[in-house]
Amino acid sequence: MLATLLMSLSVLTTAPAILPAPERLVMTGTTCRLALKRGLTLSQVGCEQEAAWFSSWLQNAGVTAVSSRDAGAKLRLRVDPKLASLGPEGYELDIDVKGIRIAAPARAGVFHGLQTLRQLFPPQFEKHNGARETALEIAGIHVSDRPRFSWRGL
C-alpha cells in the first residue's frame, strides 16, 4: 500500500521526458483521469484534420474517440489567434482534473501539442489494440512551447 502511495505521488511530481524538451513545463500536482472504456470525448474548434488524426491514433490503440461539442469534453483542441505570440507552430497544453486542453494560434501548433500529448500516454498505445487500460491517469502539467529555430533538421 505504501508503494502504491509513493508511486502515485511520483506521478504528480516527476516531470515527464518530452522530446524535444518544451520551452516551459510546469507540474501542477493534479491528475487527469480518463475513462477509456466509454471512449475519450473530444471537441475541436478550427482543427478538424488534427482531431481526426488523433482520433485515428487512439482508434488504432483500441480507444474510441467520441466527438463532442460539449465544453466538458475530456480533450479539447482549438485554434486561438490570441496566442499569435507563440508563432504558428507554438502551442499550450494544459492537463488537470477537468481534462486536457491544447490551444495554438494555428493548426500546426495543435498538431505539435498532440505530439507532446501522445508522449504522455503509455508506450503500449503505439501498438495496434495495445491500450488494455479501462482508465488512465495523466499527471497535471502546463506546457508552453514553440520552435527554437525557424528551420527544421540539420
Side-chain angles (χ1 to χ4, degrees):
M1 183 146 153
L2 180 59
T4 304
L5 177 61
L6 291 175
M7 260 178 108
S8 296
L9 290 174
S10 72
V11 166
L12 295 176
T13 58
T14 305
I18 296 173
L19 294 174
E23 184 175 76
R24 178 174 155 87
L25 185 150
V26 178
M27 301 299 296
T28 64
T30 63
T31 60
C32 175
R33 184 170 172 78
L34 304 175
L36 302 176
K37 189 174 184 179
R38 295 184 309 237
L40 179 62
T41 54
L42 184 149
S43 69
Q44 60 78 28
V45 175
C47 48
E48 295 83 6
Q49 290 177 325
E50 292 71 21
W53 171 83
F54 195 72
S55 294
S56 175
W57 178 78
L58 286 171
Q59 188 75 37
N60 185 61
V63 176
T64 303
V66 180
S67 183
S68 173
R69 295 186 188 273
D70 182 13
K74 276 297 192 177
L75 175 57
R76 293 175 301 226
L77 311 173
R78 70 183 164 93
V79 172
D80 185 352
K82 294 176 188 169
L83 298 173
S85 64
L86 291 173
E89 294 184 37
Y91 65 92
E92 289 187 348
L93 165 65
D94 287 291
I95 301 175
D96 58 28
V97 294
K98 294 179 186 173
I100 302 165
R101 293 169 307 284
I102 297 175
R107 290 177 37 212
V110 172
F111 181 75
H112 291 299
L114 286 169
Q115 290 293 346
T116 296
L117 176 60
R118 186 175 165 182
Q119 293 181 56
L120 301 176
F121 278 74
Q124 59 267 28
F125 274 71
E126 296 297 330
K127 296 179 186 173
H128 182 68
N129 288 327
R132 301 281 181 231
E133 296 86 351
T134 57
L136 179 65
E137 284 194 8
I138 300 177
I141 60 172
H142 169 78
V143 173
S144 181
D145 195 22
R146 66 179 129 205
R148 287 166 188 66
F149 305 104
S150 60
W151 65 89
R152 296 236 177 237
L154 299 174

